[in-house]
Amino acid sequence: MLWVERIVALLLALLAVCPLFAHAEDAAVSASTFYLAETETQFSVNIANDSSDVFIYFTSPAYSWVGVGFGEGMANSFMLIMYPSKDGNNLTISPRIATDHSEPSVTPDVQLETQPGTGIVDEMFVLKAICRDCRVWPSGFLNVDTTAQPMIYAFGPGNRLQSDALDAPLKRHIRYGKFTMNMKAATGKGGVPAASSAMSGVEMIGGLTRDHDRANLAHAVLGSLALFVLWPLNLVLAGFLRKIGIHVGMSVFILVFLVIAYALGISTSHEYNRSKAFTSPHQIFAFIALLPILLLSILPIKPIASLSPKIPRLHAPLTTLTFVLLVVTGGLGLHLSSSPRPIALAYGAIALLAFAFITLLQMCIRRRGSAYARATTRRRLGEDDEQTLVLANRSTSAASSDPGSVYAEPGHARSASANGGLYGGGTMPGPQYLMNMHPGVPVHRW
């Protein structure tokens, strides 16, 4: 029985030593390691010296997406983008290549084989993989003989992206940075590097830089101001001010806002795969809205407006149509940019309130006519302005109440005979005014 106990003890000793051998084997894997303490992000690379494979260990907090790339910048770089799967329980790894400073596109030429342990662990992305045929790509290559291979990394925004698709649309990164990696130090026996929080074979280039999508934000803000602030204000000015020039000036101001918003939208469209072709519903509606905007701009021109009496009547329906098209365009833009639901709901509520206010205001103006139209009609019919009549009545009353005004000079006494024998020679309105107020009333002379 003594020999049995010795065999058991030997087996136990071997079992205790095996993890040490395994750890020694892991430690023997050559690797260069990038570690960012701010986010606990690790990216380690091993270059196999007996094949063209590249072994990768990558871990980072579960943002909407996280990416690392081989290259000096986004243009012509090979990247690995990670984001949660559709059910949120697994990890989607998307190999992509960027052709410009824009969203990278999926490349089918790279084969990525994930290893056990890949997934989302304790809200951390963990990638253990073998990258085959990824040392050379159409627009660049991985220089395994350099001690300073340019590298980039980036983090997506806080809102969650969940998709099983390799070409899932990405929002612009909020933070990014650069570093160099020693490929010679990473070359050795092929194997997935171990987890580590120690920087090795890496030099940082600057720090973690915060990014701002100012053009896209300005595009949304200018469009919203034009629709929900300047547009209703312009309608108020058109309905209640007698000077048409103010309405025209405000219309030009709104047009400038819209032109800038369009220009910014076209500029930012080139940054994303989903909008590069200009075939999204947001862009289609934006192009359709250009037609009524153009008509609103040229129809009021006098030579065109005088061609037919029906042309000025098109202004109101064209205004409503343009407003509706632009509001729908803005809502589709929020969907295209994957905006959070609260922002979309707020936009919808503001749009409904603005539409209700504009509709009521247009009904009021249509019923009573605009101040400019009423003033123009009075001048065409030879009638006095209401304000002018009030001032005239006040001045007449003041003159009649002054005793010296009637007999100030000989020959200038104000009487019925001095007015040609017409009623109304004193403070009462003359018969011509009465005729204007009540057409058909006869006028009698002395």
Side-chain angles (χ1 to χ4, degrees), residues 190-212:
V192 176
S196 174
S197 60
M199 195 86 76
S200 174
V202 167
E203 286 194 15
M204 299 293 294
I205 302 176
L208 189 60
T209 305
R210 186 173 182 83
D211 189 27
H212 300 278

Side-chain angles (χ1 to χ4, degrees), residues 109-126:
D109 300 328
V110 173
Q111 301 298 323
L112 197 68
E113 295 181 7
T114 58
Q115 302 299 301
T118 298
I120 300 178
V121 181
D122 296 331
E123 298 186 355
M124 294 284 289
F125 293 152
V126 178

